[in-house]
Amino acid sequence: MSWERSVILAAVGMAAIGLSLPAQAQDNTGVTIVLPEQPDNLEPCQSIRANIGRIINQNINETLTIITPEDGTVVPHLATSWEQVDDLTWRFHLQEGVTFQDGAAFDADAVIFSINRLMSPDLTCDSRSKFGSVTLTPTAVDPYTVEIKTDRPIPIFPTMMGMVMIVSPNTPTDRPINDPVGTGPYRLVEFTPETVVLERFDDYWGETPPITEATYVWRTESALRAAMVETGEADLTPAIAVQDVSNPDTDFAYLNSETTRMRIDAQMPPLDDVRVRKALNLAIDWDALGEAVFGEDVLRATQMVVPGIVGHNTDIQPWGYDPDEAERLLEEAEADGVAVDTPITLIGRSGFFPNSNESLEAMMAMWSEVGFNMELRVLDAADWVRYLDKPFPEERGANLFQQQHDNNTGDAAFTAFVMYHSNGQYSTIAVPEVDRVIEQANAATGEERQKLFQEAFKAVHDDVVADVPMFHMVGYTRVGSRLDWRPSISTNSEIRISQIKLKQ
């Protein structure tokens, strides 16, 4: 057994069980869901983050369109239909007779309000990052028809509207909120540091769901969460670690649209030297890391979209494990005056995904072995997010940033711009040629669109070396015996309570 594998297995074995168990499970029409992370807020504008989206997406707040998890097609929801008026204009026809949970009417003005709030510079909004630098101008045609103009052609615009949470017109526009109000089948009744409680919204416009109440609690430790479902103290938990998958009757693997990476802060020396960035990729024993930490089904990633997404490039070859070459590159850079011994901080997020901390510890050991000067900082979600979006903290120093990206939309547009364009909200690179290709891809259709996104991902991987791609993840979920529900590719971004049924 290699020393790297020993380190990895030892780290995996460090999972601790030490917290007291939660409140009692619900009555027979309620469910308790135990999540791996505490939500730092319940802001619909941040709903692309799993710790928020799993609670509010399609439960409290809904969207005009829905992207189906099975095949990525777009279907009507709060919009009954839509058509493209011209290259820059889309018209959406809305459901009538829908009200928000606070009694406000859902109409064209409410859609306009939600879009303008999403785009407001007064509000930090992760969901806005999915639109890049596009300007949206919504106007009402009549009370139940809205037109949205864009400042450049967006062929997949109906898909993009599946990312915009519709909020009550009474929602503040200048600050994040903890009390979201939407049109969904459940409304918020409690949000404390220990729990979130939703109850069924009796005036919901759609079919009445069977579950009357959902209580959310959070525990970081995968083993603890799995045990809570096993003993009946909770009904469901997503994202358990592979070593806790032990019961074939309750544990389900599912195709996961999440991809993990370490973002390299290419703006900060010594990470602004491409030889240093290549050395980071070559120093990791990927085969040992993947199987030991995430299981044998996990897939090595070369780009931040999974196979099957428009733009995924199967021709990109992953970085191999070559510690000798990593050392040589560092020595070459040092000879040219690069301060390769500068401390580099690994910024991780507590409970981000199963065995996330263990993977960081193992990678840090491998990077240190070839000569990097590494230190690890694992933050809670609220602190971690300060390093996610621009403007990045000025005092951050050289850093690698742990990130997990979910794209189950079928198209690379939701990934390429935000991560690799100069104006991308998460991007640390500024390469004019990459910008040009991404902009052309966003406006293209068909084979040209596929080809251009593939070109962008290859340049980012082979030439720019913007990150350390890790794995396309496989999810494992434990579902209690009284529930009739199975996870899907969307489980990492939403868990629709309305789709949970009770066994008879």
Side-chain angles (χ1 to χ4, degrees):
M1 179 180 294
S2 68
W3 71 268
E4 292 91 348
R5 187 175 177 83
S6 299
V7 169
I8 294 165
L9 292 175
V12 172
M14 292 173 62
I17 302 176
L19 297 178
S20 59
L21 294 179
Q24 296 299 307
Q26 305 298 308
D27 62 27
N28 58 7
T29 60
V31 294
T32 295
I33 298 174
V34 54
L35 301 173
E37 287 187 286
Q38 178 179 7
D40 45 319
N41 59 55
L42 291 179
E43 169 55 57
C45 210
Q46 310 286 18
S47 66
I48 63 172
R49 289 157 50 183
N51 60 338
I52 299 171
R54 281 178 173 141
I55 297 174
I56 72 171
N57 287 356
Q58 309 302 343
N59 293 325
I60 297 175
N61 297 98
E62 299 181 297
T63 48
L64 295 187
T65 64
I66 284 182
I67 306 163
T68 55
E70 291 80 11
D71 57 12
T73 57
V74 184
V75 298
H77 196 55
L78 285 173
T80 58
S81 62
W82 54 84
E83 66 260 10
Q84 187 169 13
V85 178
D86 55 44
D87 286 348
L88 302 178
T89 308
W90 290 81
R91 180 177 296 162
F92 290 85
H93 304 277
L94 309 180
Q95 295 273 6
E96 297 186 25
V98 177
T99 59
F100 287 92
Q101 293 138 7
D102 62 359
F106 167 74
D107 54 19
D109 288 340
V111 174
I112 293 169
F113 175 85
S114 297
I115 292 173
N116 288 338
R117 183 176 188 271
L118 176 87
M119 294 295 169
S120 171
D122 297 330
L123 191 67
T124 299
C125 182
D126 283 355
S127 298
R128 185 169 62 239
S129 67
K130 299 293 186 181
F131 290 84
S133 59
V134 173
T135 298
L136 304 182
T137 305
T139 57
V141 176
D142 62 44
Y144 293 102
T145 307
V146 61
E147 281 189 355
I148 305 171
K149 288 185 177 294
T150 63
D151 60 350
R152 69 202 68 171
I154 304 180
I156 61 164
F157 194 73
T159 299
M160 300 186 83
M161 291 309 294
M163 310 293 291
V164 179
M165 293 294 146
I166 302 301
V167 300
S168 166
N170 299 315
T171 306
T173 59
D174 59 348
R175 59 179 172 81
I177 60 171
N178 291 322
D179 54 349
V181 175
T183 59
Y186 293 88
R187 70 181 187 91
L188 178 70
V189 295
E190 181 178 329
F191 178 24
T192 73
E194 290 78 33
T195 187
V196 172
V197 179
L198 310 185
E199 71 175 11
R200 193 168 61 192
F201 176 43
D202 291 337
D203 292 328
Y204 181 55
W205 61 276
E207 184 177 346
T208 300
I211 300 299
T212 58
E213 185 174 281
T215 299
Y216 299 85
V217 295
W218 33 88
R219 299 290 183 270
T220 302
E221 297 83 0
S222 165
L224 176 57
R225 288 186 283 110
M228 289 169 63
V229 177
E230 188 74 19
T231 61
E233 295 192 61
D235 296 294
L236 165 65
T237 187
I240 61 173
V242 62
Q243 65 268 25
D244 298 319
V245 179
S246 57
N247 187 341
D249 294 330
T250 59
D251 302 340
F252 302 95
Y254 59 99
L255 181 61
N256 191 328
S257 58
E258 299 276 8
T259 304
T260 53
R261 74 165 180 173
M262 296 299 296
R263 182 186 68 193
I264 302 173
D265 194 334
Q267 300 172 357
M268 306 298 291
L271 301 174
D272 56 352
D273 189 290
V274 69
R275 293 167 294 189
V276 176
R277 301 198 294 272
K278 289 180 178 178
L280 287 167
N281 279 278
L282 291 167
I284 304 300
D285 185 347
W286 293 104
D287 291 339
L289 180 72
E291 181 176 349
V293 176
F294 300 118
E296 61 182 14
D297 295 326
V298 75
L299 297 177
R300 178 76 192 286
T302 58
Q303 56 212 284
M304 293 303 291
V305 293
V306 299
I309 297 289
V310 171
H312 180 90
N313 190 338
T314 56
D315 293 333
I316 299 175
Q317 295 301 309
W319 293 98
Y321 175 45
D322 192 342
D324 293 336
E325 177 64 8
E327 290 184 30
R328 190 196 68 77
L329 287 168
L330 288 182
E331 291 170 356
E332 180 181 300
E334 187 174 27
D336 289 341
V338 178
V340 298
D341 60 345
T342 301
I344 299 173
T345 303
L346 309 185
I347 300 174
R349 175 169 150 184
S350 179
F352 202 176
F353 46 83
N355 293 333
S356 60
N357 289 359
E358 289 78 0
S359 68
L360 289 178
E361 292 166 2
M363 293 169 75
M364 186 170 72
M366 296 182 210
W367 280 322
S368 298
E369 184 68 16
V370 300
F372 283 105
N373 182 7
M374 295 289 185
E375 54 188 32
L376 177 61
R377 291 183 64 197
V378 178
L379 308 174
D380 61 28
D383 206 11
W384 170 90
V385 78
R386 294 194 303 113
Y387 297 88
L388 172 65
D389 297 297
K390 292 177 178 172
F392 304 125
E394 292 184 3
E395 75 283 3
R396 65 195 185 280
N399 71 91
L400 304 178
F401 181 76
Q402 183 188 35
Q403 195 170 11
Q404 181 172 238
H405 176 67
D406 177 28
N407 187 337
N408 58 14
T409 64
D411 194 281
F414 296 95
T415 300
F417 187 96
V418 67
M419 293 200 159
Y420 301 121
H421 191 279
S422 299
N423 296 324
Q425 206 159 327
Y426 306 155
S427 176
T428 67
I429 63 173
V431 182
E433 179 60 17
V434 172
D435 290 352
R436 181 188 64 78
V437 175
I438 291 174
E439 290 165 6
Q440 290 178 342
N442 281 338
T445 59
E447 288 297 322
E448 183 185 9
R449 185 179 185 88
Q450 169 91 339
K451 182 180 176 182
L452 287 166
F453 275 129
Q454 289 175 335
E455 182 180 342
F457 284 131
K458 185 169 180 57
V460 166
H461 181 273
D462 291 357
D463 304 325
V464 181
V465 196
D467 44 29
V468 182
M470 294 175 61
F471 299 100
H472 302 306
M473 305 294 278
V474 175
Y476 300 94
T477 291
R478 177 162 288 184
V479 183
S481 57
R482 74 190 190 98
L483 300 190
D484 180 7
W485 182 84
R486 294 293 179 269
S488 73
I489 194 172
S490 65
T491 297
N492 273 26
S493 57
E494 65 182 36
I495 298 174
R496 294 189 204 179
I497 304 303
S498 61
Q499 294 180 337
I500 297 177
K501 295 180 174 57
L502 297 168
K503 292 180 179 177
Q504 300 299 317

